[in-house]
Amino acid sequence: MGALLAFGLVTACGAEDGAASASRSSETAPSAAATASGATEPPGAESTPRDEGGAGSTSPGTKPPRDGGGSPVASTRCHTSELRASVGRDDPGAGQRNFPVVLTNASAHTCTLRGYPGAAFVDTAGEQLGPDPRRTAGSPRTLSLAPGRSAWAGLSFSSPEITEARTATPAALLVTPPDERGPLRVVWNAGEVPVGGNASSVVLTVLEPGTGP
């Protein structure tokens, strides 16, 4: 997972490369850290999970899923309250630490995700640590998640041990689904992350179906 905390809060739409885009999970949504602290404009982003045999994807021209009787099954955008967030195991490589940030459909109906999730490291007081992640270039697509299925985005950063970046140990990672304002809080147990200085960029990829590489 060489690209994750460079793998790793609110609309999903189009790939962007730049610090400003990484902080928004929808192009109009606020950041997770800001939401948690009561601000009205929290950062957000979108991501795209890998296919794990469960999360499907749809694109323009794709036929909608159908029920047993052949009728189209309505699906709506996944809301924060319908999702569960988690962070997968680090897959280090080439001086990088890479984590899959996973969003799982915890509801009883199919819903969709598209773009980049929002992501922000926070301390025990809920204050954001470091800038919002930078989005990598990508091709967002609409992912249809049946109940229990997942999508993931890569969060990556250079290993603090080999850089001169200023670091901090987060209490949690706030993850905001695309187009949503409310973040999901995931306890962070993976140690220090870069928050300033040289080589301090955290990178986030577009969502793909599945739970990671």
Side-chain angles (χ1 to χ4, degrees):
M1 253 195 262
L4 271 168
L5 243 214
F7 257 131
L9 286 154
V10 192
T11 292
C13 56
E16 295 182 31
D17 188 358
S21 61
S23 71
R24 312 172 43 127
S25 84
S26 147
E27 297 198 48
T28 56
S31 84
T35 299
S37 63
T40 59
E41 291 301 322
E46 333 171 6
S47 96
T48 312
R50 181 195 68 174
D51 198 328
E52 189 190 27
S57 66
T58 59
S59 56
T62 300
K63 293 181 179 179
R66 296 178 176 272
D67 60 21
S71 301
V73 177
S75 73
T76 59
R77 175 168 56 81
C78 298
H79 299 292
T80 300
S81 61
E82 300 168 323
L83 297 167
R84 180 176 68 252
S86 60
V87 175
R89 184 175 56 184
D90 180 22
D91 182 18
Q96 291 276 110
R97 300 189 66 192
N98 309 297
F99 301 85
V101 177
V102 182
L103 290 171
T104 300
N105 183 0
S107 75
H109 62 84
T110 297
C111 62
T112 62
L113 291 174
R114 179 183 175 84
Y116 299 83
F121 290 110
V122 296
D123 59 20
T124 55
E127 295 297 318
Q128 183 167 340
L129 300 172
D132 298 322
R134 176 175 57 84
R135 291 180 182 179
T136 62
S139 300
R141 53 184 172 140
T142 300
L143 305 173
S144 182
L145 302 186
R149 298 304 186 180
S150 305
W152 71 283
L155 184 69
S156 304
F157 55 87
S158 297
S159 300
E161 296 82 1
I162 62 175
T163 69
E164 297 179 359
R166 181 167 56 85
T167 64
T169 301
L173 176 68
L174 299 186
V175 181
T176 302
D179 299 305
E180 291 291 296
R181 290 181 177 274
L184 296 164
R185 186 178 188 277
V186 182
V187 174
W188 183 259
N189 295 313
E192 294 182 325
V193 302
V195 296
N198 296 332
S200 61
S201 292
V202 175
V203 179
L204 192 66
T205 68
V206 74
L207 283 165
E208 300 177 30
T211 57

